[in-house]
Amino acid sequence: MRKAAMALASAAMAAAAVAVVSTVLHQRQRRAAKRSERAEAVLLRDLQERCAAPVELLRQVADAMAAEMRAGLAAEGGSDLQMLVTYVDSLPSGGEKGMFYALDLGGTNFRVLRVQLGGKERRVIKQDSEGISIPQHLMSSSSHELFDFVAAALAKFVASEGEDCHLPEGTQRELGFTFSFPVKQKSLASGTLIKWTKSFAIDEMVGKDVVAELNMAIRRQGLDMKVTALVNDTVGTLAAGRYVDHDTIAAVILGTGSNAAYIDHADAIPKWHGSLPKSGNMVINMEWGNFKSSRLPLTEFDQELDAESLNPGEQVYEKLISGMYMGELVRRILLNMAQETRIFGDNIPPKLERPYILRTLDMLIMHHDTSSDLRTVANKLKEVLGIEYTSFTTRKLVVDVCEAIATRGARLAAAGIYGIIQKLGQHSDSPSTRRSVIAVDGGVYKYYTFFSQCMESTLSDMLGQELAPSVMIKHVNDGSGVGAALLVALFSIPPG
């Protein structure tokens, strides 16, 4: 009996000890969790402070942008902004008629388009297009092979046309070539490649005339077609914007990359040594992705991304605002937080260490999650990074990181637009006398609603209550394709 009582007492004592240990462990875990949450909050607050872009700073960024624009117009190599003369000295009016073609080459895919224009009354009557993927090996083979592949697709596109697409006998097909890589243009229909971007690496093509190469490939296909206008996607978007709204003064691309183009007075371009165009104007391709300034709010994550990129020290502005890089910045920040605070558990998720695995598309989907438990964030973290379980606190932290990067990018993009308006002297005009439209295209602007709304509200804040109503941002869809066809139509009209 006594032995049984002693056994019971021992068991009770053991159970009590286990309970005490369990309580202590639970308390320690709670304290550790609280410490971790405090550390996460400190890291987030530090990130938000370093990404902050108050209006005063944005005005300084805009001032620097306008100054670099003037320097780039003054002399070749005078600025990090190339400020390329495009030889487009007028833009569509809406009266263009006829059937015209466009080729849009700017990445791993290209498109061929056919556009039928019916003048002011009928506008775009019909538009057909076809997208083609470029085999990876052609992106680093030879210019001959690449352009032969493109020309063969053009020939196939033309060969499939119906009776309603036949041109009058003896009429040569005219092609607008949207080539979204840096080129130095020598005329409207010629330009030498400055450098490749976006994973293309055909070294022997650098310094060659891209129009001449394409025209030769078209002839090898036996196709009666020639390039009559060379533009980039931003200039095409500007043309498409002017086609639908005559007050369009500039265009911005916010997609995988970023760039801007605008209309300037030809006599405001000191490096222009040709005769002044009759219109008195000239479209300038800024190549604004290469803008850099000490005023840009950079973090160590931006500096590390830049140092490890294919083009360190270049495209600094683009790396802050474009779809190619914002998702990668979020990944780097989350990796740092995982190392510092164990937000994803004791072990670093292996996939989180993989560069560019988190796309800006994934970032915007998480950022736009409005569910009460942030279930979409949890699903994305599991799907993309292989993270099985996350707490609500961690999911909210991920959303906050996305917001910090998107807010900074959107506000800096607004500062760039304000810099263009400032350069043109329209930031101080009376709102009753001038209306200005900025045409915008690209996946970041089109699909990242938070980004586009933040950019627009920031621009309004910078403009002020009086001027803001006279400046509009308009989404222009497919400017890179239709815009090129419109420019061909414009310049094919005989003078007089």
Side-chain angles (χ1 to χ4, degrees):
M1 190 76 175
R2 191 175 171 187
K3 286 183 178 179
M6 289 178 64
L8 283 171
S10 297
M13 290 174 63
V18 168
V20 169
V21 170
S22 177
T23 301
V24 169
L25 285 174
H26 183 63
Q27 288 173 342
R28 285 179 178 175
Q29 287 172 346
R30 285 182 64 186
R31 285 197 295 269
K34 286 182 179 178
R35 283 197 301 271
S36 179
E37 285 181 19
R38 284 196 295 271
E40 290 164 15
V42 168
L43 288 174
L44 176 63
R45 188 163 58 250
D46 182 55
L47 174 71
Q48 291 167 333
E49 287 172 358
R50 285 179 295 144
C51 288
V55 168
E56 301 77 29
L57 177 67
L58 295 177
R59 291 193 190 283
Q60 294 171 352
V61 171
D63 288 344
M65 177 74 80
E68 288 295 308
M69 290 171 72
R70 294 186 188 95
L73 292 172
E76 296 293 350
S79 165
D80 290 317
L81 299 182
Q82 294 185 51
M83 303 300 287
L84 300 170
V85 175
T86 65
Y87 292 85
V88 175
D89 58 8
S90 57
L91 290 167
S93 64
E96 295 77 21
K97 293 183 179 181
M99 187 169 72
F100 303 95
Y101 295 80
L103 167 65
D104 181 8
L105 173 60
T108 55
N109 302 295
F110 68 92
R111 290 181 307 141
V112 290
L113 300 93
R114 179 175 51 249
V115 181
Q116 289 181 282
L117 303 171
K120 288 188 181 296
E121 298 299 321
R122 302 176 68 193
R123 294 283 173 151
V124 177
I125 299 170
K126 189 179 180 184
Q127 175 186 335
D128 300 295
S129 66
E130 184 179 338
I132 299 102
S133 293
I134 300 174
Q136 185 130 17
H137 73 277
L138 291 181
M139 296 166 70
S140 57
S141 56
S142 69
S143 57
H144 192 289
E145 289 178 285
L146 174 65
F147 284 112
D148 272 357
F149 180 79
V150 171
L154 272 170
K156 185 178 178 182
F157 184 69
V158 170
S160 67
E161 291 177 343
E163 289 295 323
D164 60 334
C165 294
H166 286 173
L167 293 170
E169 185 106 14
T171 303
Q172 187 177 41
R173 289 177 172 83
E174 295 180 271
L175 178 71
F177 184 16
T178 300
F179 186 71
S180 299
F181 301 91
V183 297
K184 180 174 175 54
Q185 286 194 241
K186 297 178 286 185
S187 69
L188 180 65
S190 66
T192 56
L193 177 65
I194 296 172
K195 64 178 180 180
W196 288 106
T197 56
K198 308 170 193 174
S199 302
F200 280 77
I202 305 174
D203 292 339
E204 49 95 5
M205 186 64 214
V206 175
K208 288 185 178 180
D209 188 330
V210 295
V211 173
E213 292 293 318
L214 179 57
N215 277 335
M216 285 190 289
I218 289 171
R219 285 196 294 272
R220 286 195 291 270
Q221 290 293 325
L223 184 60
D224 190 18
M225 175 186 281
K226 72 170 182 178
V227 177
T228 55
L230 172 67
V231 299
N232 78 348
D233 54 354
T234 321
V235 176
T237 299
L238 179 56
R242 177 62 71 92
Y243 186 69
V244 297
D245 194 319
H246 190 70
D247 291 326
T248 302
I249 61 166
V252 173
I253 297 292
L254 288 163
T256 304
S258 185
N259 192 14
Y262 74 102
I263 309 157
D264 210 339
H265 299 296
D267 57 8
I269 310 171
K271 69 180 181 182
W272 170 259
H273 301 301
S275 57
L276 290 177
K278 289 180 181 179
S279 68
N281 297 320
M282 182 62 69
V283 173
I284 299 295
N285 167 20
M286 291 175 61
E287 292 294 335
W288 86 350
N290 204 42
F291 171 67
K292 55 177 73 86
S293 167
S294 61
R295 300 299 182 186
L296 293 173
L298 300 175
T299 68
E300 72 268 26
F301 306 108
D302 301 294
Q303 292 161 346
E304 289 166 3
L305 181 150
D306 178 55
E308 295 170 22
S309 69
L310 295 173
N311 53 349
E314 298 180 10
Q315 304 298 108
V316 172
Y317 186 55
E318 183 175 73
K319 288 168 183 170
L320 295 171
I321 68 174
S322 75
M324 179 75 186
Y325 302 102
M326 286 193 292
E328 170 62 6
L329 283 170
V330 169
R331 182 199 69 83
R332 287 172 177 269
I333 294 163
L334 294 179
L335 175 60
N336 174 258
M337 288 182 166
Q339 293 165 338
E340 296 288 331
T341 69
R342 300 179 178 178
I343 58 170
F344 299 122
D346 292 336
N347 299 315
I348 306 296
K351 288 185 176 180
L352 187 58
E353 298 183 284
R354 193 179 301 171
Y356 294 93
I357 191 172
L358 189 72
R359 303 166 300 163
T360 299
L361 176 60
D362 302 316
M363 170 188 171
L364 79 85
I365 289 171
M366 293 191 293
H367 192 185
H368 284 166
D369 185 3
T370 57
S371 62
S372 60
D373 59 352
L374 297 178
R375 177 52 46 192
T376 301
V377 176
N379 291 340
K380 267 292 165 193
L381 292 172
K382 181 178 180 180
E383 171 196 331
V384 178
L385 300 175
I387 300 170
E388 291 291 333
Y389 171 77
T390 51
S391 67
F392 178 81
T393 302
T394 295
R395 298 172 204 169
K396 181 64 170 64
L397 179 67
V398 170
V399 172
D400 289 338
V401 170
C402 293
E403 184 148 326
I405 296 302
T407 300
R408 181 186 64 171
R411 290 179 70 81
L412 289 174
I417 294 172
Y418 187 82
I420 297 173
I421 294 171
Q422 184 176 322
K423 161 65 179 70
L424 294 175
Q426 296 185 10
H427 64 305
S428 57
D429 286 345
S430 167
S432 62
T433 59
R434 186 181 295 268
R435 175 177 176 270
S436 301
V437 175
I438 313 297
V440 184
D441 197 10
V444 170
Y445 180 81
K446 187 175 180 180
Y447 300 113
Y448 205 154
T449 307
F450 175 90
F451 186 102
S452 56
Q453 290 176 348
C454 180
M455 183 183 80
E456 291 172 16
S457 64
T458 301
L459 181 60
S460 292
D461 290 343
M462 296 186 73
L463 289 165
Q465 287 185 341
E466 283 194 9
L467 193 58
S470 65
V471 177
M472 293 182 61
I473 291 181
K474 273 192 175 184
H475 177 232
V476 174
N477 200 28
D478 193 24
S480 59
V482 175
L486 287 168
L487 286 170
V488 171
L490 172 65
F491 289 103
S492 73
I493 298 172

